[in-house]
Coordinates of all heavy atoms in Angstrom, one line a residue:
S287 N -13.9 -7.4 -34.1 CA -14.5 -7.8 -32.8 C -15.9 -8.4 -33.1 O -16.6 -8.0 -34.0 CB -14.7 -6.6 -31.9 OG -15.3 -7.0 -30.7
S288 N -16.2 -9.4 -32.3 CA -17.6 -10.0 -32.4 C -18.5 -9.3 -31.5 O -19.7 -9.6 -31.5 CB -17.5 -11.5 -32.0 OG -17.0 -11.6 -30.7
G289 N -18.0 -8.3 -30.7 CA -18.8 -7.7 -29.6 C -20.0 -7.0 -30.1 O -21.1 -7.3 -29.6
Y327 N -24.5 -16.6 -29.3 CA -23.1 -17.1 -29.2 C -22.8 -18.2 -30.3 O -21.7 -18.3 -30.8 CB -22.8 -17.6 -27.8 CG -22.3 -16.5 -26.9 CD1 -23.2 -15.8 -26.0 CD2 -20.9 -16.1 -26.8 CE1 -22.7 -14.8 -25.1 CE2 -20.5 -15.2 -25.9 CZ -21.4 -14.5 -25.1 OH -20.9 -13.6 -24.2
R330 N -22.1 -16.3 -33.4 CA -20.9 -15.6 -33.2 C -19.7 -16.5 -33.3 O -18.7 -16.3 -34.0 CB -20.9 -14.8 -31.9 CG -19.7 -14.2 -31.4 CD -19.2 -14.9 -30.2 NE -18.0 -14.3 -29.6 CZ -16.9 -14.9 -29.2 NH1 -16.9 -16.2 -29.2 NH2 -15.9 -14.3 -28.7
P388 N -9.6 -20.0 -27.0 CA -9.6 -19.9 -25.6 C -9.9 -18.5 -25.1 O -9.8 -17.6 -25.9 CB -8.1 -20.3 -25.2 CG -7.4 -20.0 -26.5 CD -8.3 -20.1 -27.6
E389 N -10.2 -18.3 -23.9 CA -10.5 -17.0 -23.4 C -9.7 -16.7 -22.1 O -9.7 -17.6 -21.2 CB -12.0 -16.8 -23.1 CG -12.9 -17.1 -24.3 CD -12.8 -16.0 -25.4 OE1 -12.3 -14.9 -25.1 OE2 -13.1 -16.4 -26.5
F390 N -9.0 -15.6 -22.0 CA -8.2 -15.3 -20.8 C -8.5 -13.9 -20.3 O -9.1 -13.1 -21.0 CB -6.7 -15.3 -21.2 CG -6.3 -16.6 -21.8 CD1 -6.2 -16.8 -23.1 CD2 -5.9 -17.7 -20.9 CE1 -5.7 -18.0 -23.7 CE2 -5.5 -18.9 -21.5 CZ -5.4 -19.1 -22.8
P391 N -8.2 -13.7 -19.0 CA -8.4 -12.3 -18.5 C -7.2 -11.4 -18.9 O -6.2 -11.8 -19.3 CB -8.3 -12.5 -17.0 CG -7.5 -13.7 -16.7 CD -7.6 -14.6 -18.0
S392 N -7.4 -10.2 -19.1 CA -6.8 -9.0 -18.7 C -7.0 -7.8 -19.6 O -6.3 -7.5 -20.5 CB -5.4 -9.1 -18.3 OG -5.3 -8.3 -17.1
T393 N -8.1 -7.1 -19.2 CA -8.6 -6.0 -20.1 C -9.2 -4.9 -19.2 O -9.4 -5.1 -18.0 CB -9.7 -6.6 -20.9 OG1 -9.2 -7.7 -21.6 CG2 -10.3 -5.7 -21.9
S394 N -9.4 -3.7 -19.7 CA -10.1 -2.7 -19.0 C -10.9 -1.9 -19.9 O -10.7 -1.9 -21.1 CB -9.1 -1.8 -18.2 OG -8.2 -1.3 -19.1
T409 N -12.4 0.0 -24.8 CA -11.9 -1.2 -24.2 C -10.5 -1.4 -24.7 O -10.2 -1.3 -25.9 CB -12.7 -2.4 -24.6 OG1 -14.1 -2.1 -24.5 CG2 -12.5 -3.6 -23.6
T411 N -7.0 -4.2 -24.3 CA -6.7 -5.5 -23.8 C -5.3 -5.9 -24.1 O -4.8 -5.6 -25.1 CB -7.7 -6.6 -24.4 OG1 -7.4 -7.8 -23.8 CG2 -7.6 -6.7 -25.9
E413 N -5.0 -9.2 -23.3 CA -5.5 -10.6 -23.4 C -5.5 -11.3 -22.0 O -6.5 -11.7 -21.5 CB -4.9 -11.4 -24.5 CG -5.3 -12.8 -24.5 CD -6.8 -13.1 -24.9 OE1 -7.6 -12.2 -24.9 OE2 -7.1 -14.3 -25.3
D433 N -6.6 -15.0 -29.1 CA -8.0 -14.8 -29.5 C -8.3 -15.4 -30.9 O -9.5 -15.4 -31.3 CB -8.3 -13.2 -29.6 CG -8.8 -12.7 -28.2 OD1 -9.1 -13.5 -27.4 OD2 -8.9 -11.5 -28.1
R456 N -10.2 -12.5 -33.6 CA -11.5 -12.1 -33.2 C -11.6 -11.7 -31.7 O -11.1 -12.4 -30.8 CB -12.5 -13.3 -33.4 CG -13.9 -12.9 -32.9 CD -14.9 -14.1 -33.1 NE -14.6 -15.2 -32.2 CZ -14.9 -16.4 -32.4 NH1 -15.5 -16.8 -33.5 NH2 -14.6 -17.4 -31.5
S457 N -12.1 -10.6 -31.5 CA -12.3 -10.0 -30.1 C -13.7 -10.2 -29.7 O -14.6 -10.4 -30.5 CB -11.8 -8.6 -30.2 OG -12.1 -7.9 -28.9
S458 N -13.9 -9.9 -28.4 CA -15.3 -9.8 -27.9 C -15.6 -8.4 -27.3 O -16.6 -8.1 -26.8 CB -15.5 -10.8 -26.7 OG -15.4 -12.1 -27.2
M459 N -14.6 -7.5 -27.5 CA -14.7 -6.2 -26.9 C -16.0 -5.5 -27.5 O -16.3 -5.6 -28.6 CB -13.5 -5.4 -27.3 CG -12.3 -5.9 -26.6 SD -10.8 -4.8 -26.7 CE -10.3 -5.2 -28.4
A460 N -16.7 -4.9 -26.6 CA -18.0 -4.4 -26.9 C -18.3 -3.0 -26.3 O -19.2 -2.8 -25.6 CB -19.1 -5.3 -26.5
T477 N -17.1 -3.2 -20.9 CA -16.5 -4.0 -19.8 C -15.4 -4.9 -20.3 O -15.4 -5.2 -21.4 CB -17.6 -4.8 -19.1 OG1 -17.0 -5.6 -18.0 CG2 -18.2 -5.8 -20.1
P478 N -14.5 -5.3 -19.4 CA -13.6 -6.4 -19.7 C -14.4 -7.7 -19.4 O -15.5 -7.6 -18.9 CB -12.5 -6.3 -18.7 CG -13.0 -5.5 -17.6 CD -14.1 -4.6 -18.2
G479 N -13.7 -8.8 -19.6 CA -14.4 -10.1 -19.2 C -14.3 -11.2 -20.3 O -15.1 -12.1 -20.3
G480 N -13.3 -11.1 -21.3 CA -13.2 -12.1 -22.3 C -14.5 -12.2 -23.1 O -15.2 -11.2 -23.3
N481 N -14.9 -13.4 -23.4 CA -16.1 -13.5 -24.3 C -17.4 -13.3 -23.4 O -18.5 -13.3 -24.0 CB -16.2 -14.7 -25.2 CG -16.1 -16.0 -24.4 OD1 -16.1 -16.0 -23.2 ND2 -16.2 -17.1 -25.1
S482 N -17.3 -13.2 -22.1 CA -18.4 -12.8 -21.3 C -18.8 -11.3 -21.4 O -19.8 -10.9 -21.0 CB -18.2 -13.1 -19.8 OG -17.9 -14.5 -19.6
I483 N -17.9 -10.5 -22.0 CA -18.1 -9.1 -22.2 C -19.5 -8.9 -22.8 O -20.3 -8.0 -22.4 CB -17.0 -8.5 -23.2 CG1 -15.7 -8.4 -22.5 CG2 -17.5 -7.2 -23.7 CD1 -14.5 -8.0 -23.4
I484 N -19.8 -9.7 -23.9 CA -21.0 -9.6 -24.6 C -22.2 -9.7 -23.7 O -23.1 -8.9 -23.7 CB -21.0 -10.6 -25.7 CG1 -19.9 -10.3 -26.7 CG2 -22.4 -10.8 -26.4 CD1 -19.5 -11.5 -27.6
A485 N -22.2 -10.7 -22.8 CA -23.3 -10.9 -21.9 C -23.4 -9.8 -20.8 O -24.5 -9.4 -20.5 CB -23.2 -12.3 -21.3
Y486 N -22.3 -9.4 -20.3 CA -22.3 -8.3 -19.3 C -22.9 -7.1 -19.9 O -23.7 -6.4 -19.2 CB -20.9 -8.0 -18.8 CG -20.2 -9.1 -18.0 CD1 -18.8 -9.3 -18.2 CD2 -20.8 -9.9 -17.1 CE1 -18.1 -10.3 -17.5 CE2 -20.1 -10.9 -16.4 CZ -18.8 -11.0 -16.6 OH -18.1 -12.0 -15.9
R513 N -22.4 -18.7 -22.4 CA -21.7 -18.4 -23.7 C -21.9 -19.6 -24.7 O -21.2 -19.8 -25.6 CB -20.2 -18.2 -23.5 CG -20.0 -17.0 -22.6 CD -18.6 -16.8 -22.1 NE -18.1 -18.0 -21.4 CZ -17.0 -17.9 -20.7 NH1 -16.3 -16.8 -20.6 NH2 -16.6 -19.0 -20.0
N546 N -16.3 -11.8 -13.0 CA -15.5 -10.6 -12.7 C -15.6 -9.6 -13.8 O -14.7 -9.3 -14.5 CB -14.1 -11.1 -12.5 CG -13.2 -10.0 -11.9 OD1 -13.7 -9.1 -11.3 ND2 -11.9 -10.2 -12.1
S547 N -16.8 -8.9 -13.9 CA -17.0 -7.9 -14.9 C -16.2 -6.6 -14.4 O -15.8 -6.5 -13.2 CB -18.4 -7.5 -15.1 OG -19.0 -7.1 -13.9
G548 N -16.1 -5.7 -15.3 CA -15.5 -4.3 -14.9 C -16.3 -3.3 -15.7 O -15.7 -2.5 -16.4
R571 N -14.1 -4.8 -9.9 CA -12.7 -4.4 -10.2 C -12.5 -3.0 -9.6 O -13.1 -2.7 -8.6 CB -12.4 -4.4 -11.7 CG -12.7 -5.8 -12.3 CD -11.9 -6.0 -13.6 NE -12.4 -7.2 -14.3 CZ -11.7 -7.8 -15.2 NH1 -10.5 -7.3 -15.6 NH2 -12.2 -8.9 -15.8

Side-chain angles (χ1 to χ4, degrees):
S287 184
S288 61
Y327 272 93
R330 171 244 184 224
E389 301 293 339
F390 301 98
S392 221
T393 304
S394 55
T409 316
T411 182
E413 176 67 343
D433 269 349
R456 178 181 66 206
S457 172
S458 298
M459 292 188 281
T477 181
N481 60 0
S482 302
I483 288 173
I484 293 159
Y486 293 143
R513 303 171 296 195
N546 195 20
S547 60
R571 301 205 192 194

